Amino acid sequence: MTVRLPADDLALITSLVSDKKFETESDFVRTAVSDLLAQLFTPEQREKTLAAVSRLEGADISDFTADGSGAEDVLREALDRSMSDRKEF
């Protein structure tokens, strides 16, 4: 995952690291995310959401296409359409 932050935010985070409040910028981000998630999810909600996400991780892309075609077919069709649209110009 890549996270882009405004320069001012990064400067403030770096200042906290320099002041030894956090070991690294990554440590700050992990702590901030963990604290925010603890505020937004009750333990029960967290458990339920993580269970739902783990079920989706095992899902096949064809489960989400109308005709049941696989990811390769969907991608190939999108690329073919894109290339043929460009040829018309």
Side-chain angles (χ1 to χ4, degrees), residues 28-83:
F28 171 87
V29 171
R30 280 190 294 274
T31 301
V33 168
S34 180
D35 289 352
L36 183 58
L37 291 174
Q39 291 176 24
L40 296 173
F41 288 93
T42 65
E44 296 81 17
Q45 290 171 323
R46 179 182 172 96
E47 190 174 316
K48 182 179 177 183
T49 301
L50 290 173
V53 169
S54 69
R55 283 193 302 274
L56 288 178
E57 286 176 351
D60 186 321
I61 189 69
S62 62
D63 295 339
F64 302 101
T65 59
D67 62 0
S69 57
E72 291 175 7
D73 295 336
V74 171
L75 182 57
R76 187 175 299 110
E77 183 180 334
L79 289 171
D80 288 345
R81 233 184 271 151
S82 173
M83 295 306 283

Side-chain angles (χ1 to χ4, degrees), residues 15-33:
S15 173
L16 291 171
V17 172
S18 294
D19 291 343
K20 306 291 186 208
K21 306 266 191 226
F22 295 90
E23 281 190 40
T24 64
E25 287 84 354
S26 293
D27 182 42
F28 171 87
V29 171
R30 280 190 294 274
T31 301
V33 168

